Coordinates of all heavy atoms in Angstrom, one line a residue:
K143 N -6.3 4.8 -11.6 CA -5.6 3.8 -10.7 C -4.6 3.0 -11.5 O -3.8 2.3 -10.9 CB -6.6 2.9 -10.0 CG -7.3 3.5 -8.9 CD -8.2 2.4 -8.2 CE -7.4 1.2 -7.7 NZ -7.3 1.1 -6.3
T185 N -18.9 -6.1 2.7 CA -19.3 -6.1 1.3 C -19.9 -7.4 1.0 O -19.4 -8.4 1.3 CB -18.1 -5.8 0.4 OG1 -17.6 -4.4 0.7 CG2 -18.5 -5.8 -1.0
R208 N -21.9 -2.4 -0.7 CA -21.5 -2.1 0.7 C -22.2 -0.8 1.2 O -22.3 0.1 0.4 CB -20.0 -1.9 0.7 CG -19.4 -1.2 1.9 CD -18.0 -1.6 2.1 NE -17.0 -0.5 2.4 CZ -16.9 0.2 3.5 NH1 -17.7 -0.1 4.6 NH2 -16.0 1.2 3.7
P210 N -21.4 1.8 3.8 CA -20.4 2.2 4.8 C -21.0 2.9 6.0 O -22.1 3.5 6.0 CB -19.5 3.2 4.0 CG -20.4 3.7 2.9 CD -21.4 2.6 2.6
D254 N -10.6 14.5 -9.6 CA -11.1 15.8 -9.5 C -11.1 16.4 -8.1 O -10.8 17.6 -8.0 CB -12.6 15.8 -9.9 CG -12.7 15.4 -11.4 OD1 -12.5 16.3 -12.2 OD2 -13.0 14.2 -11.7
L257 N -11.8 14.5 -0.3 CA -12.3 15.0 0.9 C -11.5 14.4 2.0 O -11.2 13.2 2.1 CB -13.8 14.4 1.1 CG -14.8 14.8 0.1 CD1 -16.1 14.2 0.4 CD2 -15.0 16.4 0.1
D258 N -10.9 15.3 2.9 CA -10.0 14.9 4.0 C -10.7 15.0 5.3 O -11.1 16.0 5.7 CB -8.8 15.8 4.0 CG -7.8 15.4 5.0 OD1 -8.1 14.5 5.9 OD2 -6.7 16.0 5.1
T287 N -14.9 -9.6 11.3 CA -14.0 -10.7 11.3 C -14.8 -12.0 11.0 O -16.0 -12.1 11.0 CB -13.5 -10.9 12.8 OG1 -14.6 -11.2 13.7 CG2 -12.8 -9.6 13.2
P314 N 6.7 -17.3 -4.4 CA 6.7 -15.9 -4.7 C 6.3 -15.7 -6.2 O 6.6 -16.6 -7.0 CB 8.1 -15.5 -4.5 CG 8.8 -16.6 -3.8 CD 7.9 -17.8 -3.9
R341 N 17.3 -11.6 13.7 CA 18.4 -12.3 13.0 C 18.6 -11.9 11.6 O 19.7 -11.6 11.2 CB 18.2 -13.9 13.2 CG 19.5 -14.7 12.8 CD 19.5 -16.0 13.6 NE 18.2 -16.8 13.5 CZ 17.9 -17.4 12.4 NH1 18.6 -17.4 11.3 NH2 16.7 -18.1 12.3
V343 N 17.5 -9.2 10.0 CA 17.9 -7.8 9.7 C 19.4 -7.6 10.1 O 20.1 -6.8 9.4 CB 17.0 -6.7 10.5 CG1 15.5 -6.8 10.1 CG2 17.2 -6.8 12.0
I407 N 1.7 -11.7 12.8 CA 1.0 -11.6 14.1 C 0.0 -12.9 14.1 O -0.2 -13.6 13.1 CB 0.2 -10.4 14.3 CG1 -0.9 -10.2 13.3 CG2 1.2 -9.2 14.3 CD1 -1.9 -9.1 13.6
T408 N -0.6 -13.1 15.2 CA -1.6 -14.2 15.4 C -2.8 -13.9 14.5 O -3.3 -12.8 14.5 CB -2.0 -14.3 16.9 OG1 -0.8 -14.3 17.7 CG2 -2.8 -15.5 17.2
R419 N -3.1 -9.2 4.2 CA -2.5 -8.1 3.5 C -1.0 -8.2 3.5 O -0.3 -7.9 2.6 CB -2.9 -6.8 4.1 CG -4.5 -6.6 4.2 CD -5.2 -6.8 3.0 NE -6.6 -6.4 3.1 CZ -7.6 -7.0 3.6 NH1 -7.5 -8.3 4.0 NH2 -8.9 -6.5 3.7
R421 N 0.8 -10.9 3.7 CA 1.3 -12.0 2.7 C 1.3 -11.4 1.3 O 2.2 -11.7 0.5 CB 0.4 -13.2 2.8 CG 0.6 -14.0 4.1 CD -0.2 -15.2 4.2 NE 0.0 -15.9 5.4 CZ -1.0 -16.2 6.3 NH1 -2.2 -15.8 6.1 NH2 -0.7 -16.8 7.5

Side-chain angles (χ1 to χ4, degrees):
K143 283 184 57 109
T185 296
R208 159 156 138 78
D254 296 285
L257 300 175
D258 182 353
T287 65
R341 193 152 49 75
V343 300
I407 66 165
T408 309
R419 306 309 193 272
R421 289 183 182 119

